[in-house]
Amino acid sequence: MKKTDLVLILDFGSQYTQLIARRTRELKVYSEIHPYSLNIKKYFREKSKDYNIKGVILSGGPASVLSKESPKISKADIDFIIGNKIPVLGICYGLQLLCHLFKGKLKSSEQRQYGRTKIYIFRDSELFKGVSNQLNVWMSHGDSVDTLPDKFVPSSKSVNSVICSIENAKLNIFGLQFHPEVNNTESGKTIIYNFLFGICRIKNLFEPESFIESKIEQIKKISGKNKVICALSGGVDSSVAAILVSKAIGENLICIHIDNGLMRKNESRKVIELFKKNYRLNLIFTDATELFLKRLKDIYDPEQKRKIIGKTFIEVFEKEAKKIKDAKFLVQGTLYPDVIESVSFKGPSSTIKSHHNVGGLPEKMKLKLIEPFRELFKDEVREIGIKLGLPGHFILRHPFPGPGLAIRILSNVTKEKLDVLREVDDIYISELKKNNLYERIWQAFSVLLPVRTVGVMGDERSYENVIALRAVTSRDGMTADFYGFDPEFLSNVSNKIINSVRGVNRVVYDISSKPPATIEWE
């Protein structure tokens, strides 16, 4: 099987490190983020069995290279990388580290340069091929280059004469003082493209078909003839994982779907119809609505809600799973952002966020994990799902939180409130689809506020609930802007909700961006 090309990203603590990986993946180039403390030689030795390592990117970071405590890789590691003819790109802190390792000099400024800056490119460079010689870029640094290392040359400067890019073309080492990975940098994607395809000469891209083929073989080897359990929520990640694993082991996969009563309208029915009837999966269904609602009674705090829902889910899931003999493995739809967030740039962390780790089920039940998507981002999982034949309307659904509608009811959770919110949300989403807006939006949902207001319904005074509508655009959920609806659309949706759903007499629209707000309200 043809090996996929790979770019290694070493993390020095930048808030933008994950964006570097996003930008490479958008260009279909497979990349991995690892802490700067990675054993480089061991990594190259092991990864080279399955991948062609074609480039290394050193991320930015908040530290000063001049500090003794700052994160550093050794000159021996850099020599090993370039000795294997692997190009290196240092971004911000990464540039400063390269300068330091090759005996250049840095100068420290008491005032950080942060934000948009104009730079001037004055040297032909493969890195800036097809890019204007004047760019607005995003800076975030305190130190800057004072004296270049021997045989390195500058290729751009800022308006105040700070060196903004350096290179040693013979050694294939490049450095940028600015961040090409952020949207604020003009032609940033082109610069990354030039490094990947012009300098690293990447050819073997990430292909969904190859990924599916290799994962199926891997899952067969790992699981053998043992039973494998999958908690099938009906979300994109668990659904695609279930179909992929079923391709590998057939009836040895047993899916468990728990209706917690906190899902969207007819969600469980749709899950059963799709996976049991259409895909003929081994699917166990259990309705635990009453148990979840009983335990959520009079609970207002969102963190408490999450903990109760997580604990109850584990209890119900464990009870069903114990009925399955010879079960040795648990399938989880862990994604790459979950893995990245669980690893500090200072080294591995022992925890994955609890709502991704199914509350620690593997430890309690002594099941080994199968995580087929731990190297992938959400959009790549969707692509895999399409290739596996899952319907587009299902795969392209908006993200839905693990605790479900419980965290979209900003008060205590009751059956009556859930019914109101389900009806409202169904109208809202249906109108988005009807007006061809659904696929333009990253995530849209309704929130039941803990507020009642006076209204007039017919000839009578009403005192009913307020609904907030939320819709955001985003590339990856890390940042988001509210969607600018036509006022007529909002007016129509508001009227439909108020006229159709008993208990609602006012609708408002959330115009907050992330940051400073989050996408979800709780």
Side-chain angles (χ1 to χ4, degrees):
M1 190 184 294
K2 184 174 67 174
K3 287 184 184 179
T4 301
D5 293 344
L6 177 149
V7 171
L8 168 64
I9 300 166
L10 290 177
D11 182 18
F12 292 89
S14 171
Q15 61 181 317
Y16 302 127
T17 302
Q18 195 176 132
L19 278 180
I20 301 170
R22 287 295 306 138
R23 300 299 170 250
T24 67
R25 297 287 188 93
E26 284 165 7
L27 294 166
K28 301 294 183 190
V29 175
Y30 182 70
S31 61
E32 289 185 354
I33 297 172
H34 289 275
Y36 74 92
S37 52
L38 178 74
N39 184 322
I40 298 288
K41 290 180 182 177
K42 183 182 177 186
Y43 179 84
F44 269 58
R45 187 169 60 249
E46 291 177 355
K47 276 290 171 183
S48 294
K49 297 171 187 174
D50 302 307
Y51 295 93
N52 304 310
I53 301 174
K54 303 291 281 187
V56 174
I57 298 176
L58 312 181
S59 85
S64 167
V65 173
L66 300 171
S67 166
K68 286 183 181 178
E69 291 78 32
S70 64
K72 294 182 180 78
I73 59 171
S74 68
K75 179 64 163 54
D77 279 338
I78 286 292
D79 288 341
F80 173 78
I81 292 166
I82 60 178
N84 280 280
K85 301 192 185 311
I86 307 293
V88 177
L89 173 65
I91 295 173
C92 197
Y93 180 91
L95 171 145
Q96 295 156 20
L97 182 57
L98 288 170
C99 183
H100 173 77
L101 291 172
F102 283 90
K103 308 298 183 188
K105 290 184 180 177
L106 300 168
K107 58 184 175 184
S108 184
S109 170
E110 291 182 5
Q111 191 172 2
R112 289 182 67 85
Q113 186 174 8
Y114 185 85
R116 193 183 294 271
T117 305
K118 182 171 276 191
I119 68 165
Y120 299 92
I121 299 164
F122 54 79
R123 186 183 299 278
D124 283 340
S125 168
E126 187 70 39
L127 207 56
F128 297 120
K129 192 174 180 181
V131 171
S132 167
N133 60 7
Q134 290 184 33
L135 291 179
N136 287 310
V137 301
W138 191 257
M139 290 282 196
S140 176
H141 69 96
D143 301 340
S144 56
V145 176
D146 187 23
T147 305
L148 281 167
D150 188 36
K151 296 180 182 175
F152 279 75
V153 295
S155 53
S156 69
K157 287 188 177 182
S158 69
V159 286
N160 51 357
S161 297
V162 171
I163 292 173
C164 292
S165 56
I166 65 173
E167 61 185 69
N168 181 328
K170 188 176 179 183
L171 293 179
N172 261 345
I173 298 176
F174 298 81
L176 298 170
Q177 187 58 77
F178 57 91
H179 291 273
E181 69 273 24
V182 302
N183 288 329
N184 308 67
T185 293
E186 292 176 350
S187 302
K189 195 168 182 177
T190 303
I191 293 167
I192 292 171
Y193 179 94
N194 288 339
F195 177 70
L196 298 174
F197 295 98
I199 295 165
C200 298
R201 304 194 181 282
I202 283 170
K203 291 177 182 174
N204 299 324
L205 303 179
F206 172 81
E207 300 288 350
E209 293 86 355
S210 299
F211 176 88
I212 291 167
E213 189 181 332
S214 64
K215 279 295 169 188
I216 286 174
E217 288 306 311
Q218 196 181 90
I219 291 163
K220 280 180 181 175
K221 284 180 187 175
I222 290 170
S223 63
K225 295 182 178 179
N226 295 297
K227 300 288 183 188
V228 177
I229 302 171
C230 175
L232 181 60
S233 68
V236 171
D237 307 330
S238 67
S239 299
V240 179
I243 296 299
L244 178 65
V245 175
S246 74
K247 293 269 185 191
I249 62 172
E251 290 190 357
N252 276 341
L253 173 69
I254 295 142
C255 297
I256 299 173
H257 175 71
I258 298 166
D259 184 353
N260 58 13
L262 307 170
M263 295 186 287
R264 291 166 285 201
K265 189 176 180 180
N266 298 325
E267 185 92 13
S268 286
R269 181 172 59 77
K270 289 173 184 174
V271 169
I272 292 164
E273 280 178 4
L274 181 65
F275 293 100
K276 196 163 189 173
K277 293 181 181 177
N278 294 11
Y279 290 96
R280 302 185 182 281
L281 293 187
N282 260 344
L283 179 59
I284 296 168
F285 169 71
T286 182
D287 187 348
T289 300
E290 284 187 23
L291 179 62
F292 277 87
L293 291 184
K294 182 182 175 184
R295 292 186 178 177
L296 287 168
K297 187 181 179 183
D298 298 327
I299 303 297
Y300 289 78
D301 180 70
E303 262 320 294
Q304 235 185 316
K305 287 180 189 176
R306 288 175 188 273
K307 286 175 182 175
I308 289 167
I309 292 164
K311 188 178 177 183
T312 306
F313 176 85
I314 292 167
E315 190 181 305
V316 176
F317 185 87
E318 188 179 17
K319 185 181 175 183
E320 293 299 328
K322 279 182 176 176
K323 299 173 186 176
I324 303 164
K325 294 179 181 178
D326 303 321
K328 302 287 184 188
F329 296 90
L330 174 72
V331 177
Q332 280 191 184
T334 309
L335 299 187
Y336 198 41
D338 309 329
V339 176
I340 296 167
E341 286 169 14
S342 72
V343 179
S344 157
F345 79 94
K346 293 181 180 177
S349 164
S350 61
T351 58
I352 289 180
K353 292 186 293 183
S354 61
H355 62 286
H356 288 293
N357 197 23
V358 195
L361 271 176
E363 291 85 355
K364 197 170 184 181
M365 298 172 62
K366 297 178 181 176
L367 296 174
K368 294 177 184 176
L369 283 180
I370 293 176
E371 299 174 299
F373 304 138
R374 63 180 286 115
E375 308 107 321
L376 304 186
F377 286 93
K378 174 79 82 173
D379 55 330
E380 293 167 327
V381 173
R382 285 188 166 126
E383 204 174 340
I384 298 294
I386 295 292
K387 294 291 180 187
L388 287 169
L390 279 158
H393 68 85
F394 182 85
I395 286 299
L396 298 174
R397 286 190 309 167
H398 294 173
F400 188 66
L405 299 180
I407 58 164
R408 292 177 181 173
I409 294 173
L410 309 192
S411 60
N412 61 320
V413 179
T414 66
K415 182 181 183 301
E416 293 71 29
K417 290 177 184 178
L418 286 162
D419 288 342
V420 166
L421 190 54
R422 265 191 276 270
E423 290 302 321
V424 167
D425 206 59
D426 187 58
I427 291 169
Y428 181 32
I429 299 302
S430 296
E431 286 300 305
L432 288 174
K433 290 177 178 176
K434 184 178 164 184
N435 288 273
N436 297 317
L437 294 169
Y438 187 79
E439 290 183 18
R440 296 188 203 174
I441 292 166
W442 167 267
Q443 191 172 359
F445 56 91
S446 313
V447 180
L448 183 62
L449 303 184
V451 175
R452 287 191 164 197
T453 63
V454 174
V456 179
M457 306 288 277
D459 294 324
E460 295 180 4
R461 177 185 182 275
S462 68
Y463 190 58
E464 302 290 2
N465 296 299
V466 180
I467 290 288
L469 302 181
R470 181 83 159 129
V472 297
T473 56
S474 178
R475 296 180 75 169
D476 44 35
M478 294 174 68
T479 60
D481 291 314
F482 67 89
Y483 187 82
F485 285 119
D486 185 292
E488 190 180 343
F489 173 81
L490 287 174
S491 174
N492 289 339
V493 170
S494 174
N495 287 336
K496 258 195 176 169
I497 290 169
I498 292 168
N499 292 331
S500 306
V501 184
R502 187 180 292 276
V504 176
N505 70 356
R506 195 177 298 268
V507 174
V508 298
Y509 183 57
D510 180 354
I511 58 167
S512 313
S513 295
K514 177 188 178 183
T518 53
I519 295 176
E520 293 282 351
W521 280 45
E522 284 191 345

mmCIF file of all heavy atoms in Angstrom, residues 7-8 53-57 81-82 84-89 171-174 195 199-201:
data_model
loop_
_atom_site.group_PDB
_atom_site.id
_atom_site.type_symbol
_atom_site.label_atom_id
_atom_site.label_comp_id
_atom_site.label_asym_id
_atom_site.label_seq_id
_atom_site.Cartn_x
_atom_site.Cartn_y
_atom_site.Cartn_z
ATOM 1 N N VAL A 7 3.673 15.485 7.810
ATOM 2 C CA VAL A 7 4.407 16.628 8.345
ATOM 3 C C VAL A 7 4.284 16.601 9.857
ATOM 4 O O VAL A 7 3.179 16.500 10.397
ATOM 5 C CB VAL A 7 3.863 17.961 7.781
ATOM 6 C CG1 VAL A 7 4.480 19.152 8.515
ATOM 7 C CG2 VAL A 7 4.150 18.073 6.289
ATOM 8 N N LEU A 8 5.410 16.679 10.544
ATOM 9 C CA LEU A 8 5.445 16.691 12.009
ATOM 10 C C LEU A 8 5.411 18.145 12.491
ATOM 11 O O LEU A 8 6.197 18.974 12.032
ATOM 12 C CB LEU A 8 6.719 16.001 12.501
ATOM 13 C CG LEU A 8 7.068 16.178 13.987
ATOM 14 C CD1 LEU A 8 6.001 15.549 14.880
ATOM 15 C CD2 LEU A 8 8.444 15.573 14.283
ATOM 16 N N ILE A 53 7.925 10.823 6.094
ATOM 17 C CA ILE A 53 8.044 12.100 6.805
ATOM 18 C C ILE A 53 8.690 13.101 5.855
ATOM 19 O O ILE A 53 9.818 12.913 5.408
ATOM 20 C CB ILE A 53 8.853 11.954 8.102
ATOM 21 C CG1 ILE A 53 8.172 10.920 9.018
ATOM 22 C CG2 ILE A 53 8.982 13.299 8.814
ATOM 23 C CD1 ILE A 53 8.954 10.573 10.265
ATOM 24 N N LYS A 54 7.958 14.165 5.543
ATOM 25 C CA LYS A 54 8.386 15.096 4.490
ATOM 26 C C LYS A 54 8.720 16.491 4.996
ATOM 27 O O LYS A 54 9.282 17.296 4.261
ATOM 28 C CB LYS A 54 7.295 15.204 3.419
ATOM 29 C CG LYS A 54 6.913 13.889 2.776
ATOM 30 C CD LYS A 54 8.013 13.334 1.898
ATOM 31 C CE LYS A 54 8.061 14.016 0.560
ATOM 32 N NZ LYS A 54 9.014 13.372 -0.359
ATOM 33 N N GLY A 55 8.333 16.825 6.229
ATOM 34 C CA GLY A 55 8.618 18.165 6.723
ATOM 35 C C GLY A 55 8.396 18.256 8.218
ATOM 36 O O GLY A 55 7.677 17.440 8.811
ATOM 37 N N VAL A 56 9.021 19.267 8.830
ATOM 38 C CA VAL A 56 8.849 19.535 10.259
ATOM 39 C C VAL A 56 8.534 21.014 10.434
ATOM 40 O O VAL A 56 9.204 21.874 9.846
ATOM 41 C CB VAL A 56 10.117 19.161 11.064
ATOM 42 C CG1 VAL A 56 9.974 19.587 12.531
ATOM 43 C CG2 VAL A 56 10.395 17.665 10.975
ATOM 44 N N ILE A 57 7.502 21.303 11.223
ATOM 45 C CA ILE A 57 7.138 22.694 11.526
ATOM 46 C C ILE A 57 7.294 22.914 13.022
ATOM 47 O O ILE A 57 6.782 22.137 13.836
ATOM 48 C CB ILE A 57 5.688 23.007 11.095
ATOM 49 C CG1 ILE A 57 5.535 22.849 9.572
ATOM 50 C CG2 ILE A 57 5.291 24.428 11.513
ATOM 51 C CD1 ILE A 57 4.117 23.050 9.062
ATOM 52 N N ILE A 81 17.289 15.979 11.725
ATOM 53 C CA ILE A 81 16.192 16.240 10.774
ATOM 54 C C ILE A 81 16.749 16.674 9.426
ATOM 55 O O ILE A 81 16.387 16.115 8.384
ATOM 56 C CB ILE A 81 15.231 17.310 11.352
ATOM 57 C CG1 ILE A 81 14.481 16.753 12.564
ATOM 58 C CG2 ILE A 81 14.229 17.761 10.276
ATOM 59 C CD1 ILE A 81 13.785 17.815 13.404
ATOM 60 N N ILE A 82 17.646 17.662 9.423
ATOM 61 C CA ILE A 82 18.162 18.161 8.133
ATOM 62 C C ILE A 82 19.126 17.157 7.507
ATOM 63 O O ILE A 82 19.292 17.119 6.282
ATOM 64 C CB ILE A 82 18.806 19.563 8.264
ATOM 65 C CG1 ILE A 82 19.986 19.552 9.229
ATOM 66 C CG2 ILE A 82 17.776 20.594 8.687
ATOM 67 C CD1 ILE A 82 20.684 20.895 9.359
ATOM 68 N N ASN A 84 18.499 14.110 7.379
ATOM 69 C CA ASN A 84 17.593 13.235 6.624
ATOM 70 C C ASN A 84 16.905 13.971 5.478
ATOM 71 O O ASN A 84 15.945 13.462 4.908
ATOM 72 C CB ASN A 84 16.535 12.659 7.573
ATOM 73 C CG ASN A 84 17.060 11.487 8.378
ATOM 74 O OD1 ASN A 84 17.128 10.365 7.911
ATOM 75 N ND2 ASN A 84 17.474 11.762 9.605
ATOM 76 N N LYS A 85 17.447 15.172 5.179
ATOM 77 C CA LYS A 85 16.942 16.011 4.073
ATOM 78 C C LYS A 85 15.452 16.373 4.245
ATOM 79 O O LYS A 85 14.685 16.374 3.292
ATOM 80 C CB LYS A 85 17.177 15.338 2.716
ATOM 81 C CG LYS A 85 18.648 15.042 2.434
ATOM 82 C CD LYS A 85 18.885 14.651 1.006
ATOM 83 C CE LYS A 85 20.337 14.242 0.742
ATOM 84 N NZ LYS A 85 21.331 15.171 1.242
ATOM 85 N N ILE A 86 15.072 16.640 5.491
ATOM 86 C CA ILE A 86 13.700 17.040 5.810
ATOM 87 C C ILE A 86 13.664 18.552 6.005
ATOM 88 O O ILE A 86 14.343 19.079 6.894
ATOM 89 C CB ILE A 86 13.192 16.354 7.096
ATOM 90 C CG1 ILE A 86 13.358 14.835 7.038
ATOM 91 C CG2 ILE A 86 11.749 16.751 7.380
ATOM 92 C CD1 ILE A 86 12.508 14.135 6.025
ATOM 93 N N PRO A 87 12.883 19.284 5.209
ATOM 94 C CA PRO A 87 12.790 20.736 5.386
ATOM 95 C C PRO A 87 12.154 21.108 6.729
ATOM 96 O O PRO A 87 11.324 20.371 7.266
ATOM 97 C CB PRO A 87 11.881 21.179 4.230
ATOM 98 C CG PRO A 87 11.973 20.086 3.220
ATOM 99 C CD PRO A 87 12.140 18.827 4.028
ATOM 100 N N VAL A 88 12.563 22.267 7.254
ATOM 101 C CA VAL A 88 12.068 22.749 8.540
ATOM 102 C C VAL A 88 11.515 24.167 8.371
ATOM 103 O O VAL A 88 12.137 25.008 7.714
ATOM 104 C CB VAL A 88 13.194 22.769 9.603
ATOM 105 C CG1 VAL A 88 12.682 23.341 10.926
ATOM 106 C CG2 VAL A 88 13.769 21.377 9.815
ATOM 107 N N LEU A 89 10.341 24.405 8.961
ATOM 108 C CA LEU A 89 9.755 25.750 8.994
ATOM 109 C C LEU A 89 9.524 26.137 10.447
ATOM 110 O O LEU A 89 8.807 25.458 11.173
ATOM 111 C CB LEU A 89 8.422 25.781 8.234
ATOM 112 C CG LEU A 89 7.620 27.090 8.343
ATOM 113 C CD1 LEU A 89 8.370 28.253 7.687
ATOM 114 C CD2 LEU A 89 6.230 26.932 7.717
ATOM 115 N N LEU A 171 20.105 24.318 3.264
ATOM 116 C CA LEU A 171 19.724 23.347 4.292
ATOM 117 C C LEU A 171 18.212 23.118 4.343
ATOM 118 O O LEU A 171 17.721 22.304 5.126
ATOM 119 C CB LEU A 171 20.208 23.820 5.670
ATOM 120 C CG LEU A 171 21.722 23.872 5.897
ATOM 121 C CD1 LEU A 171 22.019 24.377 7.303
ATOM 122 C CD2 LEU A 171 22.371 22.508 5.676
ATOM 123 N N ASN A 172 17.469 23.886 3.525
ATOM 124 C CA ASN A 172 15.998 23.802 3.516
ATOM 125 C C ASN A 172 15.401 24.168 4.886
ATOM 126 O O ASN A 172 14.483 23.511 5.383
ATOM 127 C CB ASN A 172 15.518 22.406 3.102
ATOM 128 C CG ASN A 172 15.112 22.377 1.643
ATOM 129 O OD1 ASN A 172 14.918 23.424 1.014
ATOM 130 N ND2 ASN A 172 14.987 21.191 1.086
ATOM 131 N N ILE A 173 15.966 25.245 5.483
ATOM 132 C CA ILE A 173 15.453 25.755 6.748
ATOM 133 C C ILE A 173 14.854 27.141 6.513
ATOM 134 O O ILE A 173 15.495 28.011 5.923
ATOM 135 C CB ILE A 173 16.559 25.850 7.817
ATOM 136 C CG1 ILE A 173 17.129 24.462 8.109
ATOM 137 C CG2 ILE A 173 16.023 26.473 9.106
ATOM 138 C CD1 ILE A 173 18.293 24.469 9.077
ATOM 139 N N PHE A 174 13.617 27.325 6.974
ATOM 140 C CA PHE A 174 12.894 28.583 6.762
ATOM 141 C C PHE A 174 12.272 29.030 8.082
ATOM 142 O O PHE A 174 11.899 28.205 8.912
ATOM 143 C CB PHE A 174 11.796 28.395 5.705
ATOM 144 C CG PHE A 174 12.332 28.001 4.364
ATOM 145 C CD1 PHE A 174 12.672 26.672 4.089
ATOM 146 C CD2 PHE A 174 12.502 28.942 3.358
ATOM 147 C CE1 PHE A 174 13.176 26.308 2.860
ATOM 148 C CE2 PHE A 174 13.004 28.584 2.117
ATOM 149 C CZ PHE A 174 13.342 27.252 1.865
ATOM 150 N N PHE A 195 5.357 25.901 1.298
ATOM 151 C CA PHE A 195 6.249 25.081 2.119
ATOM 152 C C PHE A 195 5.966 23.595 1.902
ATOM 153 O O PHE A 195 6.894 22.801 1.701
ATOM 154 C CB PHE A 195 6.100 25.429 3.599
ATOM 155 C CG PHE A 195 6.943 24.564 4.494
ATOM 156 C CD1 PHE A 195 8.328 24.690 4.501
ATOM 157 C CD2 PHE A 195 6.368 23.595 5.314
ATOM 158 C CE1 PHE A 195 9.124 23.868 5.316
ATOM 159 C CE2 PHE A 195 7.145 22.771 6.127
ATOM 160 C CZ PHE A 195 8.533 22.912 6.121
ATOM 161 N N ILE A 199 8.516 23.173 -1.235
ATOM 162 C CA ILE A 199 9.758 22.893 -0.499
ATOM 163 C C ILE A 199 9.805 21.444 -0.011
ATOM 164 O O ILE A 199 10.794 20.742 -0.236
ATOM 165 C CB ILE A 199 9.905 23.888 0.675
ATOM 166 C CG1 ILE A 199 10.083 25.309 0.127
ATOM 167 C CG2 ILE A 199 11.085 23.511 1.572
ATOM 168 C CD1 ILE A 199 9.894 26.416 1.140
ATOM 169 N N CYS A 200 8.744 20.986 0.619
ATOM 170 C CA CYS A 200 8.715 19.578 1.103
ATOM 171 C C CYS A 200 8.421 18.588 -0.025
ATOM 172 O O CYS A 200 8.619 17.385 0.129
ATOM 173 C CB CYS A 200 7.669 19.422 2.207
ATOM 174 S SG CYS A 200 7.982 20.408 3.682
ATOM 175 N N ARG A 201 7.886 19.101 -1.128
ATOM 176 C CA ARG A 201 7.556 18.283 -2.311
ATOM 177 C C ARG A 201 6.614 17.116 -1.966
ATOM 178 O O ARG A 201 6.842 15.955 -2.326
ATOM 179 C CB ARG A 201 8.811 17.773 -3.007
ATOM 180 C CG ARG A 201 9.749 18.897 -3.411
ATOM 181 C CD ARG A 201 10.822 18.481 -4.382
ATOM 182 N NE ARG A 201 11.704 19.575 -4.716
ATOM 183 C CZ ARG A 201 11.413 20.562 -5.570
ATOM 184 N NH1 ARG A 201 10.241 20.568 -6.181
ATOM 185 N NH2 ARG A 201 12.275 21.518 -5.819
#
